[in-house]
């Protein structure tokens, strides 16, 4: 290939980050206008084409935003504990990501998309070789799509395919659907779908596709008016915090949930393709269960011949203090499938070699493996490694939780501070109190968000420092005092 000339590089440099990025030290939270401010409102009045334009909260100035500080179109500076619903990992304009985005390989990938599983370029092999180092133990294959929910949908298909093939083989039928009798092939083409099921848990969220939605049980608005598969649901145990104080109560809740799961599996013998569960339920309200619970679920899944699918779209990529949250569950063997999304900059799943689907055409999507997004996801993981962010998240997360516990001791209407690493939350007495708290915190320069029914959700960027945690705590303290 002809090397790119100096003129191209000069032109390309002009395209990228045209303004000098403000040094991070010069940013401190400061809200000078109402939120959203006049300039933001003016901008929001545009773009009515967007079906969802009615519920935008902010317009970000992403040339000025830096590190953990979001600068909006009116110049207001907010400490960002929202991180775009946990999408952000390294803060705004992290040099390691800018470096990738300025690279020739990234620009080439952006303007020359490939249908990657069939035809690709050498840069995709670089991405795959890099990602292999971060694959969860025992999970030797990856499948990449765009969004988290799409990854869940695809992971469930893998579980169904493995289950269906196993069922056919044990009935003396061919494993390969192309070798089935013509009448059976015609039945399949006429929507005689599998009667296998996925078991999921109350309070779960797995994405917006029709498959994942049938395993989603957190909000009515996600599901109303849509068709759903008749799949069984079990009660998620929901640990109460602090864990030491509620150890007996939590163990009893887990035992009840496991007994119910056993009954459900007994009622669907030979029909359960997968048990799908988040290591920490995130959209459902930051609901935790113990490692012992997940180990028991894995055992029951194995006994039922079902795949264990862990949905790490929100818990993955460092936020709990390990690359993948399930690494802290002490599972005796890998789950069969683990989905990712958000901070990975793309969706998808890792899968064990045993379950990987290799037959051509069974899983193909045109855009499997966007090289540019893969480069950014890999750079995110490599930066976490290089900057020691896992240990940082564990230490600073423990500090953050201790400070939240201190606040709860002073403000009795704030309850159940909880979390692992930087995946943190607490409750307020009602939806109204929670929403009022979020507004007041934002006016004081801290942007947090909501989850579940009345929980405040904190998803700090992984680079958030102890000083920034102190700042958030001071703002929360004042906002809680105002709520009274
Ligand atoms: C656990 C979990 N699974 C799936 C999804 C869906 O991801 P996406 O919105 O990228 O499709 C989410 C999104 O919040 C999630 O938290």
């Amino acid at each position: 290939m002809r090397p790119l000339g100096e003129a191209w590089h000069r032109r390309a440099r002009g395209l990228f980050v045209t303004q000098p990025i403000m040094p991070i030290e010069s940013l401190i939270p400061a809200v000078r206008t109402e939120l959203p401010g006049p300039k933001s409102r003016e901008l929001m009045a545009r773009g009515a084409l967007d079906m969802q334009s009615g519920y935008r909260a902010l317009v970000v100035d992403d040339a000025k935003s830096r590190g953990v500080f979001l600068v909006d179109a009116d110049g207001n500076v907010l400490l960002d504990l929202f991180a775009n619903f946990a999408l952000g990992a390294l803060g705004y304009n992290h040099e390691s990501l800018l470096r990738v985005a300025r690279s020739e390989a990234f620009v080439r990938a952006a303007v020359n998309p490939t249908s990657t599983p069939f035809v690709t370029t050498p840069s995709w092999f670089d991405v795959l070789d890099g990602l292999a180092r971060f694959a969860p133990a025992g999970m030797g294959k990856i499948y990449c799509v765009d969004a988290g929910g799409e990854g869940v949908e695809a992971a469930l298909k893998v579980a169904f395919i493995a289950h269906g093939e196993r069922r056919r083989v044990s009935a003396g039928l061919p494993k390969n659907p192309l070798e089935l009798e013509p009448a059976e092939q015609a039945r399949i083409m006429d929507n005689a779908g599998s009667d296998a099921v996925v078991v999921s848990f109350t309070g779960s969220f797995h994405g917006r596709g029709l498959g994942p939605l049938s395993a989603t049980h957190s909000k009515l608005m996600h599901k109303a008016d849509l068709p759903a598969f008749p799949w069984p649901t079990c009660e998620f145990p929901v640990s109460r915090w602090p864990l030491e104080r509620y150890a007996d109560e939590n163990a009893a809740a887990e035992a009840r949930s496991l007994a119910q799961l056993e009954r459900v599996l007994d009622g669907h013998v030979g029909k359960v393709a997968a048990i799908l569960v988040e290591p920490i339920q995130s959209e459902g309200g930051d609901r935790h269960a113990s490692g012992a619970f997940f180990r028991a679920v894995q055992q029951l899944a194995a006994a039922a011949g079902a795949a264990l699918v862990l949905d790490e779209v929100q818990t993955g990529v460092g936020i709990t203090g390990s690359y993948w949250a399930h690494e802290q569950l002490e599972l005796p063997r890998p789950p069969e499938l683990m989905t990712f999304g958000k901070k990975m900059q793309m969706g998808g799943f890792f899968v064990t070699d045993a379950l990987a689907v290799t037959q051509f055409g069974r899983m193909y999507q045109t855009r499997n493996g966007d090289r540019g997004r893969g480069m950014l996801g890999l750079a995110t993981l490599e930066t976490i490694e290089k900057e020691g962010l896992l240990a940082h998240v564990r230490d600073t997360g423990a500090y953050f939780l201790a400070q939240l516990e201190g606040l709860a001791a002073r403000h009795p209407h704030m309850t159940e501070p909880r979390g692992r690493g930087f995946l943190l939350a607490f409750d307020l007495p009602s939806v109204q109190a929670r929403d009022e708290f979020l507004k007041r915190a934002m006016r004081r320069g801290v942007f947090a968000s909501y989850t579940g029914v009345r929980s405040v959700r904190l998803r700090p960027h992984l680079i958030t420092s102890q000083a920034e945690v102190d700042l958030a705590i001071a703002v929360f303290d004042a906002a809680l005092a105002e709520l009274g």
Side-chain angles (χ1 to χ4, degrees):
M1 197 207 313
R2 203 159 61 84
L4 293 172
E6 178 55 27
W8 186 91
H9 281 292
R10 233 180 296 119
R11 261 202 318 280
R13 269 199 297 276
L15 287 176
F16 306 122
V17 189
T18 48
Q19 307 171 29
I21 292 169
M22 226 189 270
I24 192 162
E25 303 74 38
S26 67
L27 291 178
I28 46 165
V31 177
R32 298 185 190 88
T33 70
E34 56 186 328
L35 290 170
K39 199 144 173 214
S40 300
R41 282 205 308 277
E42 198 184 309
L43 287 162
M44 285 174 183
R46 287 174 44 195
L49 178 66
D50 185 348
M51 187 181 86
Q52 308 194 87
S53 57
Y55 40 91
R56 201 157 273 132
L58 273 180
V59 182
V60 178
D61 184 336
D62 61 2
K64 295 208 178 104
S65 299
R66 179 84 174 118
V68 298
F69 295 107
L70 178 163
V71 182
D72 78 359
D74 291 274
N76 298 306
V77 181
L78 300 166
L79 172 62
D80 184 11
L81 301 182
F82 159 70
N84 287 285
F85 288 120
L87 192 62
L90 304 177
Y92 294 90
N93 289 306
H94 196 284
E95 191 48 45
S96 68
L97 300 185
L98 289 175
R99 207 175 309 121
V100 168
R102 290 185 192 113
S103 69
E104 182 182 337
F106 184 87
V107 175
R108 296 279 183 214
V111 300
N112 303 305
T114 54
S115 187
T116 304
F118 202 48
V119 170
T120 192
T121 70
S123 64
W124 182 240
F125 301 117
D126 293 339
V127 170
L128 290 174
D129 289 349
L131 289 178
R133 284 201 312 113
F134 298 96
M139 308 190 87
K141 299 283 181 211
I142 195 171
Y143 182 88
C144 301
V145 286
D146 286 338
E150 235 183 293
V152 175
E153 175 106 2
L156 294 184
K157 281 170 59 182
V158 170
F160 279 120
I161 289 171
H163 186 261
E165 288 180 349
R166 222 174 327 120
R167 268 218 285 205
R168 275 202 302 279
V169 170
S170 60
L173 293 167
K175 180 176 169 189
N176 183 350
L178 298 174
E179 292 167 13
L180 290 169
E181 293 295 329
E184 182 55 17
Q185 294 195 17
R187 255 174 40 82
I188 293 170
M189 292 308 287
D190 200 24
N191 290 344
S194 165
D195 62 350
V197 301
V198 173
V199 178
S200 57
F201 291 87
T202 53
S204 57
F205 183 79
H206 296 292
R208 302 283 190 154
L210 292 178
L213 268 183
S214 291
T216 287
H217 311 285
S218 41
K219 290 200 180 84
L220 180 74
M221 294 302 275
H222 301 151
K223 293 168 73 90
D225 299 323
L226 301 173
F229 292 112
W231 295 342
T233 312
C234 292
E235 196 66 38
F236 191 76
V238 194
S239 297
R240 292 200 63 193
W241 289 65
L243 296 174
E244 309 73 48
R245 188 185 311 159
Y246 293 106
D248 292 346
E249 197 176 310
N250 292 343
E254 294 189 352
R256 277 196 304 276
S257 172
L258 289 167
Q260 190 194 10
L261 177 58
E262 256 184 284
R263 284 196 300 277
V264 164
L265 295 173
D266 286 347
H268 294 79
V269 172
K271 284 196 176 170
V272 183
I275 298 178
L276 173 63
V277 63
E278 297 153 84
I280 301 168
Q281 287 192 338
S282 304
E283 298 301 308
D286 280 27
R287 298 166 14 133
H288 297 246
S290 72
F293 173 75
F294 286 95
R295 291 192 291 278
V297 170
Q298 183 176 49
Q299 209 172 351
L300 290 172
L308 176 63
V309 186
L310 294 182
D311 184 353
E312 294 239 28
V313 168
Q314 193 150 167
T315 54
V317 193
I319 191 155
T320 66
S322 48
Y323 288 110
W324 312 108
H326 79 266
E327 290 166 349
Q328 298 176 50
L329 300 177
E330 296 176 29
L331 299 177
R333 55 185 179 283
E336 277 70 30
L337 290 135
M338 187 213 81
T339 61
F340 56 77
K342 299 206 188 244
K343 293 178 177 35
M344 273 287 268
Q345 313 299 322
M346 56 181 174
F349 59 78
F350 286 100
V351 59
T352 56
D353 288 349
L355 245 74
V357 173
T358 53
Q359 187 177 18
F360 179 73
R362 287 284 253 167
M363 292 293 296
Y364 200 101
Q365 283 176 247
T366 312
R367 290 182 65 97
N368 281 143
D370 180 311
R371 279 135 52 225
R373 303 255 231 120
M375 288 174 206
L376 292 171
L378 174 59
T380 301
L381 289 164
E382 287 175 342
T383 306
I384 290 171
E385 182 180 48
K386 201 168 100 214
E387 297 189 0
L389 290 177
L390 296 181
H392 169 78
V393 165
R394 284 195 297 273
D395 296 347
T396 316
Y399 175 78
F400 205 157
L401 182 57
Q403 299 306 304
L404 291 172
E405 284 164 353
L407 281 185
R410 287 205 297 287
H411 302 281
H413 50 302
M414 171 192 175
T415 51
E416 301 239 6
R418 57 193 179 274
R420 194 173 276 271
F422 274 176
L423 198 139
L424 294 156
F426 57 88
D427 291 348
L428 287 170
S430 63
V431 184
Q432 292 75 12
R434 189 264 317 271
D435 292 351
E436 190 55 36
F437 168 84
L438 289 175
K439 250 189 256 161
R440 285 171 189 266
M442 198 160 168
R443 262 187 249 138
R444 290 169 180 271
V446 176
F447 186 19
S449 87
Y450 56 87
T451 186
V453 180
R454 52 188 179 87
S455 305
V456 172
R457 158 169 39 185
L458 308 174
R459 296 289 186 270
H461 293 271
L462 310 186
I463 56 171
T464 307
S465 69
Q466 193 166 312
E468 286 144 6
V469 170
D470 289 340
L471 200 150
I473 291 293
V475 165
F476 290 175
D477 202 6
L480 288 165
E482 280 173 7
L483 280 185

